[in-house]
Amino acid sequence: MQDFVSYLRDRSGEISQLKKKGIKVIGYFPGNYMPEELIYASGAVPVCLIDGEKAAPANTALSVVPNIICSFARTLIGEMMTKENPYYAMLDMVVAPITCQHLKKVAEIWEYQEDIEVFKLGVPHQYYNDIELDYYTERLKALRDRLQAFTGNTITDERINQAIDTYNRMRGLFRKLSLIRRSYNSPISALDFIKLNHLSLCADPNDMIEMLESFYSKITNGHSDGNSDHPRILIVGPIIARGDYAILEIVQAAGGEIVIEEICEGLRYYWHDIEKSNDPLKSLAIGYLRDRLPCAFMRDSSKKRLHFILDLIRNFNVSGVIWHELLNCETYDAESFFFSQELGKRNIPFLVLESDCGMADVERLKNRVDAFIELIKGEIE
Ligand code: SF4
């Protein structure tokens, strides 16, 4: 992991050098409704805004929004206000996919508080037929046109298809890494997997692919399945922000092993590739809207996500599910009841936890996770 740590340490300096040479730096909100391929094909540097290590930015934002806005959305506002985080100080433009109500509010607040262009990327909140697909494709076209004008570079179909190839290679590597976590002797921990995923959201994709290929071959060389009696945990939730790793550490310290995640924001969605075609914008729309697992803000997403989660439970031999949501995230809070009922019917242990980015209340979470892991251990024995 040392190579990745050094790369991350140097990456903001590298982007800053690129910016001095006139290359644009374009930030976007997490959630996987913003195809990075488009920014990359424009010659700009895409940077996903996923930091959530400290509570301070979310607290700073309380001077402009109430605390009913979730702490991740407030972190975005606070980071922009303070600009202490180098990535925020470098942004030339931001793309804000219109997803949950809280992120929508962030885009509006940035527009009137900050001197930065915010492109609002309309995202249909349902997918039933071609109407939604056509709308999203049109919005991607508008984004492509804006990026062309902003960067001065022509975004040809060929460039988009090349970018799709590049990001497909990265998605494929994350898939492979994820699948080896089915092993009872996984050579990669949840924490490392998530840190790599986070790094990929600010790294140059070609550098990332090279590092991931080398990492994958190192960790799988001579690896064989083993035995472990640690309860195998699936984490479900709206977001894991970069640096906000306390929940992962708490589960590990309690003797649980997180073997897979179903997280809407903050992690790259890697379960399928984008299929190329003569109309690459349509391909992106199909891949990012129609074919992917819908986030919780999407209409009728709960049952689809339930089936996906049940498949993960089977394929990764999961022994318990931790539902980890942020305080005031009403979408996930409302869904937690449905999931607790459905998993309860199937006798799958289920724990709901709430916290804030930067987590002040670690002790309380620790006690609840300890008790949950003990309960699962009791069932396994
Ligand atoms: S945690 Fe919930 S409320 Fe906050 S940005 Fe994510 S989906 Fe929206």
Side-chain angles (χ1 to χ4, degrees):
M1 291 293 292
Q2 202 45 47
D3 291 351
F4 294 105
V5 173
S6 320
Y7 185 92
L8 179 61
R9 194 189 49 229
D10 299 339
R11 181 61 180 157
S12 62
E14 244 176 55
I15 298 178
S16 168
Q17 290 305 318
L18 292 171
K19 189 175 161 76
K20 281 186 191 144
K21 290 180 190 158
I23 292 175
K24 302 288 186 201
V25 181
I26 299 186
Y28 62 94
F29 294 175
N32 295 292
Y33 284 93
M34 163 55 228
E36 290 155 287
E37 284 92 339
L38 272 185
I39 299 178
Y40 188 66
S42 78
V45 179
V47 174
C48 184
L49 303 169
I50 44 162
D51 292 284
E53 181 178 7
K54 298 177 190 146
N59 291 335
T60 301
L62 288 172
S63 61
V64 289
V65 287
N67 68 358
I68 52 165
I69 300 290
C70 86
S71 59
F72 176 68
R74 280 191 282 119
T75 297
L76 287 167
I77 296 169
E79 292 279 21
M80 202 58 146
M81 288 167 76
T82 61
K83 300 209 176 42
E84 284 167 7
N85 179 330
Y87 290 106
Y88 284 76
M90 284 190 279
L91 298 176
D92 293 302
M93 175 182 169
V94 172
V95 182
I98 300 306
T99 54
C100 86
Q101 287 298 329
H102 299 228
L103 289 181
K104 193 170 146 213
K105 199 40 75 186
V106 176
E108 283 164 15
I109 288 168
W110 279 10
E111 259 190 332
Y112 60 75
Q113 295 265 352
E114 301 292 332
D115 187 17
I116 188 166
E117 178 171 342
V118 179
F119 184 96
K120 293 183 202 147
L121 176 65
V123 177
H125 283 205
Q126 59 186 34
Y127 174 74
Y128 295 126
N129 54 44
D130 283 351
I131 296 173
E132 288 89 17
L133 203 56
D134 291 346
Y135 169 76
Y136 188 49
T137 308
E138 282 305 311
R139 293 313 298 149
L140 292 181
K141 269 187 198 148
L143 174 60
R144 179 200 57 192
D145 295 349
R146 185 66 198 111
L147 288 170
Q148 289 189 138
F150 195 70
T151 59
N153 297 325
T154 305
I155 305 176
T156 60
D157 286 355
E158 194 191 346
R159 284 181 81 149
I160 303 176
N161 271 329
Q162 280 166 357
I164 290 175
D165 273 339
T166 303
Y167 281 92
N168 277 346
R169 280 181 68 197
M170 185 144 61
R171 284 185 271 265
L173 283 159
F174 276 110
R175 239 181 353 258
K176 274 166 58 172
L177 273 176
S178 190
L179 290 175
I180 54 171
R181 296 169 66 202
R182 288 181 300 186
S183 150
Y184 274 83
N185 181 26
S186 171
I188 178 168
S189 68
L191 186 57
D192 285 346
F193 179 81
I194 289 169
K195 283 183 175 174
L196 292 184
N197 202 310
H198 282 163
L199 175 59
S200 80
L201 294 166
C202 67
D204 177 89
N206 287 309
D207 292 347
M208 195 69 208
I209 288 166
E210 204 178 299
M211 289 189 292
L212 284 175
E213 278 171 345
S214 146
F215 179 72
Y216 182 80
S217 78
K218 272 185 206 151
I219 64 168
T220 51
N221 186 12
H223 171 258
S224 56
D225 205 352
N227 286 314
S228 160
D229 55 4
H230 294 292
R232 295 170 65 81
I233 303 298
L234 159 65
I235 292 258
V236 180
I239 184 156
I240 292 187
R242 181 163 53 211
D244 188 20
Y245 301 134
I247 185 64
L248 309 175
E249 289 157 356
I250 289 171
V251 173
Q252 196 176 340
E257 186 180 352
I258 298 170
V259 291
I260 190 67
E261 310 74 32
E262 200 289 282
I263 301 291
C264 182
E265 298 157 353
L267 296 186
R268 175 182 300 288
Y269 185 76
Y270 51 79
W271 288 110
H272 72 264
D273 286 343
I274 307 294
E275 283 184 26
K276 287 190 301 178
S277 72
N278 293 335
D279 183 352
L281 289 177
K282 187 83 177 255
S283 298
L284 290 172
I286 289 172
Y288 278 81
L289 181 73
R290 189 193 74 184
D291 290 351
R292 60 159 293 178
L293 184 69
C295 279
F297 71 86
M298 296 281 280
R299 202 162 283 147
D300 290 337
S301 69
S302 310
K303 285 192 181 154
K304 289 181 190 153
R305 289 178 40 253
L306 174 67
H307 292 305
F308 185 77
I309 282 170
L310 292 174
D311 280 347
L312 290 180
I313 291 171
R314 266 189 299 278
N315 292 333
F316 285 78
N317 289 315
V318 165
S319 28
V321 175
I322 295 182
W323 180 279
H324 179 230
E325 64 187 42
L326 292 191
L327 282 162
N328 298 324
C329 175
E330 68 279 352
T331 331
Y332 270 80
D333 199 30
E335 276 203 343
S336 64
F337 179 67
F338 168 72
F339 278 83
S340 84
Q341 279 194 318
E342 291 297 325
L343 297 191
K345 280 183 210 160
R346 294 162 175 87
N347 293 322
I348 298 165
F350 184 74
L351 174 69
V352 179
L353 298 175
E354 274 186 316
S355 71
D356 268 336
C357 279
M359 283 213 217
D361 201 2
V362 172
E363 267 320 300
R364 182 184 56 86
L365 292 179
K366 200 172 154 331
N367 291 339
R368 296 199 57 210
V369 171
D370 283 348
F372 184 65
I373 298 293
E374 282 310 311
L375 175 107
I376 298 176
K377 279 184 181 164
E379 287 186 1
I380 293 173
E381 280 163 13

